[in-house]
Amino acid sequence: MIEFALQFVRNFFEKVVGRFYIPITIGAFIISALAVWVIATKWNINSDFKALLPENAKAAIAMTEVGDRVGSGSALFVVIDSPSTEANKKFAKVYAEEMRKMDSVALAHYHNDKEFFEKNALLYMEAEDIAEIRKRLKKRIREEKKAANPLFISLKKKKRSDNLLEVDDIQDKYKGQEQDTHKEYLIADDGYSLTIVVRFVESSTDLIATNKLLGEVEALGERLKPKDYHPDMTIELGGGLVNRKKEYNSILDDVVSSAVFTIVGLFLVIALYFRRLRAIVEVLVPLIMGILWTLALAFLFYGELTTVTAFIFAILLGLGIDFSIHLLSGYDHERIDGHEPVEALVRCYQSIGFATVIGAFTTFVTFVVLSFAQFRGLSQFGAVASAGVICSIIAMCVVLPALTLVLHKIKAYNPTSGDDRVTLMDRIFTPEVVQKKAIPMIIVAVLLSVFFVSQWGDLEFEENFRAIGTVTPPWVDKDAMAKEEEQKRVIHQARVVAKHIVFKKARDIREATDPETFVMDREQKSLGSKYTSAVSGKQSSTPTIMLFDDANSAEKVYSHMNSMHKDGRLETIRSLSSIHAFMPGTPEEQAERLEEINKIRALLDKEGTAFMTDKQKNKVEEFRDKLVEKPVTLVDLPEWTKRLFKEAGPKAKPPAEGEPYAFEYLIYINESIDQMKGGEARRFLTEVATVAEETGEELRIGSQSYIYTAMLDEIKTDGLRMMLWAVFFVFIILTMAFRSPLRALTAATPLVLGAMWMFGALAWFGIRLDFFNVIIIPVVIGIGVDDGVHFYYRYLDRGRGSVPEVIHHVGSAVLMTSVTSCIGFGGLAITNHRGLQSIGYVAIAGILSALVATVLILPAIITLAERYDIKWIAADAGKTAVGATHDESE
């Protein structure tokens, strides 16, 4: 089998690459150009956490159902700003009406007409309060009749009031009703801006859909010419969709800055290491091609990438550059030994090429195992990364040698023995040092392992999305830090409230002093403060939505939750709303109230108005309009209340007879907690579970809290399971490659020690694992295996006593690949995006750990194995254990 593989390599390079290197190179560039076109036309990122979950996950199913029935769960806030409130209203009316005509818009809301609730105000009171109003009215009528009687003489002279009925104290009891918590117009407190709340029919949250929807709304606003309504009028978009777009742009900016840093660093390091500029082309061009091919395949197959897979370029950069440096370094050594280019390629790929393929195959298997994960964030990443390894190895085994021959044809590169310079590794690891320091190195490895393993208890998984990328060393008092942060938050909040109170008081005084010249000062200056002030906590850009199939169940649950909220038992909820919140009570309660209203009507009919003043008569007529005769049903409620709960998705519930859409099956919840903090999100779900238990209803919720906690649970359980399986399969492959489980374990030394030290170092420095940086763990596995396989394979190939030579040839390449990988991932660590930062931190820790284990510990283990003749580690003298390509005499 080995002889066949060696012959295949020779035939491939002599008869294919050696003859057709120019067409191969041209073809590779053409394919890469096509890949760039595919990426440019298909580029799409889906930042929805739901896309990371298994399709059969309960949280994903619930969120999908929300999308199918309601449409988009995220809101867009369109803020119209000018000094004229009336101009804002006029433009908002036209803008909202035009948006409602768009097929993509389910809601465009800015005006809450209160006329219906004013007319039905008595129905929203308790029967005993209506009875009290009747008693007061009866008493006042009696008093007014006496006052109007010329024969009646009062001992107390009292001026007749035009107001026949005083009920302010009763009305005050009902000011907290649902309709009262909604402003008539969604105007900021300072009066300068008006907000239109927009929800879309399409529930997709990928980059293309988001840009399309935002672009349509922006274009419509421009066509309506807001400057014609007021010269200072501006339109701004805010909310979840806009924040998502900003996050995309921020990531792209970080990627660009990281790429510049990485490319400049790699240019310098590669040029210095290989001491020729053409090496930059030989290393980076095939590497970039492999990445381009991978991304093109990913977009063709998946159509979009998740937020986890979106960083695949960094992963492939770290892995691919290892392949290219090892191969080009091996080629240089063969050329220095006097071999012609094609023969040098043959011999390089027969030795180092085999080690590279073994390392790449183990990494490939690691990613393939991940592709079987239920957690789609890992499965898509694993599938794309495994394809990336294949593309990278093809680029390194086909494009790299072809490009090398092309460059040699343009300008020959003929190194001599003098080019085989003494490296830093040679100066440090002389044969004497390797022999004398072997035992101290093993002792150091043991001590380091004991220390770092002892730190594992401090390694945590970061569930707070806002804190991803933060570093908190264990010697820092976390409780004191948290307390200090809480104090800062409270102080800031107190200052905001105090500023608002002072501002409002000063404004009221100025307005009362000189109302004619008074001009409101701007209080809400930022975009967020404008729409937050306008919606008064009643609208959220990412609300939690409860779905029901039965309107009675929705009403029952809402009523119970509202009662719990008033009792302070739902601490994680700021507000909740449903169409049922606008109802004036049950049919039985309304019947009781109508009975009292009829008594008032009968009283007025009986007493008449002859004894009243003209103003009193007008007041009575206004009051009569509120003496409704029939109960209110859901369909009687104002249109704007129904639109707030409209089902606009493709699988919306069928509407009631005479209604254009269904609206009675939803409860909207505005959470008071941060949905992206795992602990707080779990508290919210616990309270929801309490509601389900107490009502006996099965609750289906579409919630970012539900999605986020489900994602955390999946990645911690499924991710750990897949990683363990990956390590198992890597060990099996190494056992097959080295024909011995013990030698496989020796080759995996950098992986084992590197992983132990990496996790300990992360804990010691206070770097937490998170759902971004866990994807780097397979890369660390790949790097550790790749370093160990190259070193140990070369040693077995050269035989006993070859450790210094292996350090010279392989150790330098390992050091170089580690430096270049650290530069690549270091570019991520200096970005502003916390997720990219965390990837960079973990990658650098893993790379450095694997490097130390490879160049310090593995040589010491092999040296001691030779000294004490441990045959299952040491090579047989004068023989190659895996299949050498040539003898030393060659």
Side-chain angles (χ1 to χ4, degrees), residues 653-884:
K653 295 281 287 185
E657 186 176 354
E659 294 294 322
Y661 47 79
F663 52 82
E664 61 267 47
Y665 304 103
L666 307 178
I667 297 177
Y668 275 80
I669 300 174
N670 187 9
E671 298 169 44
S672 61
I673 50 94
D674 190 335
Q675 298 171 320
M676 304 306 288
K677 293 182 178 179
E680 294 185 9
R682 294 184 196 280
R683 277 204 306 128
F684 166 72
L685 295 177
T686 300
E687 292 184 352
V688 171
T690 302
V691 173
E693 182 180 352
E694 293 183 1
T695 59
E697 295 284 345
E698 181 183 356
L699 303 183
R700 306 198 307 277
I701 65 170
S703 169
Q704 285 296 327
S705 293
Y706 195 10
I707 290 289
Y708 186 57
T709 54
M711 184 195 68
L712 293 175
D713 294 339
E714 283 285 344
I715 201 167
K716 285 192 287 187
T717 55
D718 200 29
L720 177 61
R721 183 169 59 252
M722 290 298 106
M723 295 298 179
L724 293 176
W725 275 111
V727 171
F728 170 76
F729 282 115
V730 165
F731 183 73
I732 295 297
I733 293 168
L734 291 179
T735 299
M736 295 172 62
F738 288 97
R739 304 178 188 176
S740 165
L742 297 176
R743 285 189 169 176
L745 186 60
T746 303
T749 298
L751 166 61
V752 176
L753 292 180
M756 291 170 57
W757 297 351
M758 179 189 73
F759 290 126
L762 293 177
W764 193 60
F765 284 106
I767 301 173
R768 300 177 182 87
L769 294 176
D770 56 65
F771 87 92
F772 278 110
N773 61 35
V774 291
I775 65 172
I776 213 66
I777 295 176
V779 179
V780 173
I781 293 174
I783 290 174
V785 170
D786 192 58
D787 290 348
V789 166
H790 272 96
F791 194 99
Y792 196 45
Y793 188 98
R794 183 77 170 197
Y795 162 73
L796 295 176
D797 182 51
R798 295 300 184 184
R800 293 197 181 199
S802 64
V803 171
E805 177 192 354
V806 175
I807 291 175
H808 171 70
H809 287 154
V810 179
S812 298
V814 168
L815 176 62
M816 178 61 182
T817 58
S818 299
V819 170
T820 53
S821 295
C822 284
I823 290 174
F825 289 111
L828 300 181
I830 63 172
T831 61
N832 295 319
H833 190 275
R834 293 286 184 85
L836 294 176
Q837 288 177 3
S838 66
I839 290 175
Y841 295 152
V842 175
I844 291 172
I847 292 167
L848 294 180
S849 297
L851 170 65
V852 173
T854 302
V855 301
L856 296 182
I857 310 307
L858 187 55
I861 292 174
I862 294 173
T863 299
L864 291 179
E866 289 182 351
R867 184 182 303 175
Y868 297 105
D869 195 24
I870 304 176
K871 292 183 173 56
W872 56 269
I873 294 179
D876 295 332
K879 293 183 179 180
T880 60
V882 184

Side-chain angles (χ1 to χ4, degrees), residues 231-250:
D232 296 329
M233 183 175 288
T234 60
I235 300 174
E236 296 178 280
L237 306 184
L241 292 176
V242 176
N243 293 338
R244 191 173 294 121
K245 183 178 180 179
K246 289 179 179 178
E247 184 179 353
Y248 292 143
N249 294 334
S250 175

